Amino acid sequence: DGGITQSPKYLFRKEGQNVTLSCEQNLNHDAMYWYRQDPGQGLRLIYYSQIVNDFQKGDIAEGYSVSREKKESFPLTVTSAQKNPTAFYLCASSIAGLHSNVEAFFGQGTRLTVV
Amino acid sequence: GNSVTQMEGPVTLSEEAFLTINCTYTATGYPSLFWYVQYPGEGLQLLLKATKADDKGSNKGFEATYRKETTSFHLEKGSVQVSDSAVYFCALSDPFSGGYNKLIFGAGTRLAVHP
Protein backbone atom coordinates (compact mmCIF):
# COMPACT_ATOMS: atom_id res chain seq x y z
CA ASP A 1 0.00 0.00 0.00
CA GLY A 2 1.19 3.50 -0.80
CA GLY A 3 1.57 5.98 2.00
CA ILE A 4 3.78 8.01 4.26
CA THR A 5 5.71 6.47 7.12
CA GLN A 6 7.04 8.51 10.02
CA SER A 7 9.36 7.11 12.63
CA PRO A 8 9.65 6.87 15.50
CA LYS A 9 6.12 7.37 16.83
CA TYR A 10 7.44 8.63 20.17
CA LEU A 11 10.80 10.30 20.73
CA PHE A 12 12.40 11.63 23.87
CA ARG A 13 15.26 14.09 23.75
CA LYS A 14 17.49 15.56 26.38
CA GLU A 15 17.97 19.29 26.34
CA GLY A 16 20.89 20.32 24.14
CA GLN A 17 20.67 17.30 21.84
CA ASN A 18 19.82 17.22 18.16
CA VAL A 19 17.31 14.62 17.01
CA THR A 20 16.22 13.55 13.53
CA LEU A 21 12.68 12.55 12.61
CA SER A 22 12.25 10.25 9.65
CA CYS A 23 9.66 10.63 6.87
CA GLU A 24 9.45 8.26 3.90
CA GLN A 25 6.80 8.15 1.17
CA ASN A 26 6.15 5.73 -1.68
CA LEU A 27 3.46 7.78 -3.39
CA ASN A 28 5.88 9.14 -6.00
CA HIS A 29 5.08 12.67 -4.82
CA ASP A 30 7.50 15.47 -5.61
CA ALA A 31 6.38 17.78 -2.79
CA MET A 32 6.91 17.05 0.90
CA TYR A 33 6.18 19.11 4.00
CA TRP A 34 6.85 19.21 7.73
CA TYR A 35 4.27 20.64 10.11
CA ARG A 36 4.30 21.20 13.84
CA GLN A 37 1.13 20.77 15.90
CA ASP A 38 0.74 22.18 19.40
CA PRO A 39 -2.30 21.64 21.65
CA GLY A 40 -5.23 23.82 20.68
CA GLN A 41 -3.46 25.20 17.64
CA GLY A 42 -3.57 24.47 13.98
CA LEU A 43 -0.68 23.05 12.02
CA ARG A 44 2.23 25.36 11.33
CA LEU A 45 4.56 24.80 8.39
CA ILE A 46 8.23 24.27 9.26
CA TYR A 47 9.83 23.41 5.89
CA TYR A 48 8.68 22.27 2.49
CA SER A 49 10.32 20.80 -0.57
CA GLN A 50 8.93 20.86 -4.08
CA ILE A 51 11.66 18.76 -5.66
CA VAL A 52 14.74 16.74 -4.80
CA ASN A 53 17.73 18.79 -3.61
CA ASP A 54 15.58 21.85 -3.01
CA PHE A 55 13.70 23.01 0.08
CA GLN A 56 12.33 26.23 1.50
CA LYS A 57 11.63 27.61 4.96
CA GLY A 58 8.07 27.71 6.14
CA ASP A 59 6.60 29.91 8.85
CA ILE A 60 8.54 28.54 11.83
CA ALA A 61 11.85 27.21 10.47
CA GLU A 62 14.13 28.54 13.22
CA GLY A 63 15.82 25.72 15.13
CA TYR A 64 15.05 23.11 12.46
CA SER A 65 16.89 21.75 9.43
CA VAL A 66 15.97 19.39 6.60
CA SER A 67 17.47 17.62 3.62
CA ARG A 68 15.97 16.20 0.43
CA GLU A 69 18.56 13.93 -1.13
CA LYS A 70 16.00 11.41 -2.36
CA LYS A 71 12.48 11.86 -3.67
CA GLU A 72 11.13 9.40 -1.12
CA SER A 73 12.74 10.87 1.98
CA PHE A 74 12.51 14.20 3.83
CA PRO A 75 14.10 13.95 7.29
CA LEU A 76 13.69 16.74 9.83
CA THR A 77 16.36 17.57 12.40
CA VAL A 78 15.30 19.37 15.55
CA THR A 79 18.40 21.17 16.73
CA SER A 80 19.37 22.39 20.17
CA ALA A 81 18.59 25.90 18.93
CA GLN A 82 14.86 25.12 18.97
CA LYS A 83 13.74 26.61 22.26
CA ASN A 84 10.50 24.70 22.71
CA PRO A 85 10.68 21.47 20.69
CA THR A 86 8.08 19.43 22.56
CA ALA A 87 5.27 18.97 20.03
CA PHE A 88 3.59 16.61 17.58
CA TYR A 89 5.33 16.63 14.20
CA LEU A 90 3.52 15.72 11.00
CA CYS A 91 5.02 14.99 7.62
CA ALA A 92 2.94 15.29 4.45
CA SER A 93 3.35 14.90 0.72
CA SER A 94 1.49 15.91 -2.42
CA ILE A 95 1.95 16.29 -6.13
CA ALA A 96 3.86 19.47 -6.90
CA GLY A 97 3.07 22.41 -9.08
CA LEU A 98 0.38 25.04 -9.10
CA HIS A 99 -2.64 22.79 -8.63
CA SER A 100 -5.28 24.29 -6.44
CA ASN A 101 -7.11 21.08 -5.59
CA VAL A 102 -4.17 19.00 -4.53
CA GLU A 103 -4.69 16.67 -1.60
CA ALA A 104 -1.96 16.38 1.00
CA PHE A 105 -1.34 12.93 2.46
CA PHE A 106 -0.15 12.83 6.06
CA GLY A 107 1.92 10.42 8.08
CA GLN A 108 0.92 9.18 11.53
CA GLY A 109 3.09 11.74 13.29
CA THR A 110 5.98 11.73 15.74
CA ARG A 111 5.47 12.98 19.28
CA LEU A 112 8.69 14.58 20.51
CA THR A 113 9.19 15.25 24.20
CA VAL A 114 12.15 17.03 25.74
CA VAL A 115 13.12 15.58 29.11
CA GLY B 1 -2.61 37.32 4.10
CA ASN B 2 -4.56 34.10 3.92
CA SER B 3 -6.12 32.71 7.09
CA VAL B 4 -8.73 30.27 8.36
CA THR B 5 -10.93 30.70 11.42
CA GLN B 6 -12.86 27.84 12.99
CA MET B 7 -15.34 27.77 15.82
CA GLU B 8 -13.77 26.88 19.14
CA GLY B 9 -14.41 23.51 20.65
CA PRO B 10 -14.98 21.19 22.12
CA VAL B 11 -18.31 20.42 20.55
CA THR B 12 -20.17 17.78 22.55
CA LEU B 13 -23.16 16.02 21.00
CA SER B 14 -25.32 13.01 21.59
CA GLU B 15 -25.40 10.27 18.98
CA GLU B 16 -27.70 11.06 16.03
CA ALA B 17 -27.58 14.81 16.68
CA PHE B 18 -26.99 17.32 13.88
CA LEU B 19 -23.48 18.72 13.55
CA THR B 20 -22.28 22.07 12.31
CA ILE B 21 -18.69 23.25 12.60
CA ASN B 22 -18.22 26.77 11.32
CA CYS B 23 -15.26 27.78 9.16
CA THR B 24 -14.56 31.13 7.56
CA TYR B 25 -11.56 32.14 5.52
CA THR B 26 -9.62 35.12 4.23
CA ALA B 27 -7.81 34.75 0.94
CA THR B 28 -6.37 37.06 -1.68
CA GLY B 29 -6.70 34.63 -4.57
CA TYR B 30 -9.04 31.78 -5.50
CA PRO B 31 -8.36 29.09 -2.92
CA SER B 32 -9.47 25.52 -2.69
CA LEU B 33 -11.01 24.55 0.64
CA PHE B 34 -10.60 21.34 2.61
CA TRP B 35 -11.78 19.59 5.73
CA TYR B 36 -9.32 17.20 7.36
CA VAL B 37 -10.05 14.87 10.28
CA GLN B 38 -7.60 13.70 12.93
CA TYR B 39 -8.40 10.70 15.11
CA PRO B 40 -6.59 10.39 18.46
CA GLY B 41 -2.87 9.80 18.09
CA GLU B 42 -2.96 9.79 14.31
CA GLY B 43 -2.14 12.02 11.37
CA LEU B 44 -4.67 13.95 9.33
CA GLN B 45 -6.94 12.43 6.70
CA LEU B 46 -8.73 14.36 3.98
CA LEU B 47 -12.47 14.31 4.65
CA LEU B 48 -13.74 16.43 1.76
CA LYS B 49 -12.80 19.31 -0.48
CA ALA B 50 -14.22 21.97 -2.81
CA THR B 51 -12.26 23.79 -5.47
CA LYS B 52 -14.52 26.64 -6.57
CA ALA B 53 -17.46 28.74 -5.44
CA ASP B 54 -20.76 26.87 -4.90
CA ASP B 55 -19.05 23.47 -5.04
CA LYS B 56 -20.25 21.02 -2.41
CA GLY B 57 -17.81 18.50 -1.02
CA SER B 58 -19.21 15.38 0.61
CA ASN B 59 -17.93 12.16 2.17
CA LYS B 60 -19.11 9.69 4.83
CA GLY B 61 -22.28 11.70 5.45
CA PHE B 62 -20.36 14.96 5.95
CA GLU B 63 -20.78 17.86 3.57
CA ALA B 64 -19.63 21.44 3.15
CA THR B 65 -20.44 24.09 0.55
CA TYR B 66 -17.93 26.66 -0.70
CA ARG B 67 -19.66 30.03 -0.18
CA LYS B 68 -17.63 32.81 -1.72
CA GLU B 69 -20.13 35.53 -0.79
CA THR B 70 -19.79 34.73 2.92
CA THR B 71 -16.22 33.33 2.68
CA SER B 72 -17.37 30.23 4.53
CA PHE B 73 -17.03 26.45 4.32
CA HIS B 74 -19.09 25.09 7.21
CA LEU B 75 -18.99 21.35 7.91
CA GLU B 76 -22.32 19.58 8.50
CA LYS B 77 -23.57 16.09 9.21
CA GLY B 78 -27.16 15.14 9.74
CA SER B 79 -26.64 12.38 12.30
CA VAL B 80 -23.34 11.93 14.10
CA GLN B 81 -21.99 8.68 15.49
CA VAL B 82 -19.62 7.96 18.36
CA SER B 83 -17.01 7.01 15.77
CA ASP B 84 -17.06 10.59 14.45
CA SER B 85 -15.33 11.79 17.62
CA ALA B 86 -12.14 13.45 16.41
CA VAL B 87 -10.55 16.83 15.72
CA TYR B 88 -11.67 18.52 12.52
CA PHE B 89 -9.47 21.00 10.66
CA CYS B 90 -10.58 23.44 8.01
CA ALA B 91 -7.85 24.41 5.55
CA LEU B 92 -7.31 26.39 2.40
CA SER B 93 -4.83 26.09 -0.41
CA ASP B 94 -3.93 29.02 -2.57
CA PRO B 95 -1.17 28.05 -4.98
CA PHE B 96 -0.90 31.55 -6.38
CA SER B 97 0.06 32.98 -3.02
CA GLY B 98 3.78 32.37 -2.66
CA GLY B 99 4.12 30.18 -5.75
CA TYR B 100 3.56 26.80 -4.18
CA ASN B 101 0.72 24.70 -2.90
CA LYS B 102 0.69 25.87 0.71
CA LEU B 103 -2.01 24.58 3.04
CA ILE B 104 -3.18 26.98 5.76
CA PHE B 105 -5.02 25.36 8.65
CA GLY B 106 -7.51 26.55 11.20
CA ALA B 107 -6.91 25.75 14.88
CA GLY B 108 -9.08 22.64 14.78
CA THR B 109 -12.38 21.80 16.48
CA ARG B 110 -12.64 18.81 18.77
CA LEU B 111 -15.89 16.84 18.47
CA ALA B 112 -16.99 14.45 21.19
CA VAL B 113 -20.05 12.29 20.51
CA HIS B 114 -21.67 10.42 23.39
CA PRO B 115 -23.96 7.38 23.13
Side-chain angles (χ1 to χ4, degrees), chain A residues 55-75:
Chain A
F55 49 83
Q56 303 295 328
K57 293 182 179 180
D59 301 317
I60 55 165
E62 185 175 351
Y64 300 98
S65 66
V66 294
S67 63
R68 186 84 187 278
E69 297 176 0
K70 299 187 299 181
K71 186 175 185 177
E72 302 79 19
S73 178
F74 192 41

Side-chain angles (χ1 to χ4, degrees), chain A residues 9 33 35 37 40-43 45 48 50 59 88 90 98-104 106-108, chain B residues 30 32 34 36 38 41-44 46 49 51 89 93 95-96 99-103 105-107:
Chain A
K9 189 168 184 177
Y33 313 83
Y35 289 89
Q37 184 179 18
Q41 297 188 35
L43 280 68
L45 183 65
Y48 66 98
Q50 295 285 84
D59 301 317
F88 192 52
L90 286 162
L98 298 179
H99 303 280
S100 63
N101 61 349
V102 169
E103 174 184 355
F106 284 82
Q108 296 295 294
Chain B
Y30 300 92
S32 291
F34 305 82
Y36 282 85
Q38 183 179 34
E42 298 185 7
L44 277 66
L46 179 67
K49 66 182 181 184
T51 59
F89 290 91
S93 170
F96 296 100
Y100 70 100
N101 190 23
K102 178 179 179 179
L103 276 173
F105 288 88

Side-chain angles (χ1 to χ4, degrees), chain A residues 71-93:
Chain A
K71 186 175 185 177
E72 302 79 19
S73 178
F74 192 41
L76 173 74
T77 297
V78 184
T79 75
S80 57
Q82 170 49 236
K83 298 303 180 189
N84 185 21
T86 295
F88 192 52
Y89 291 87
L90 286 162
C91 180
S93 72

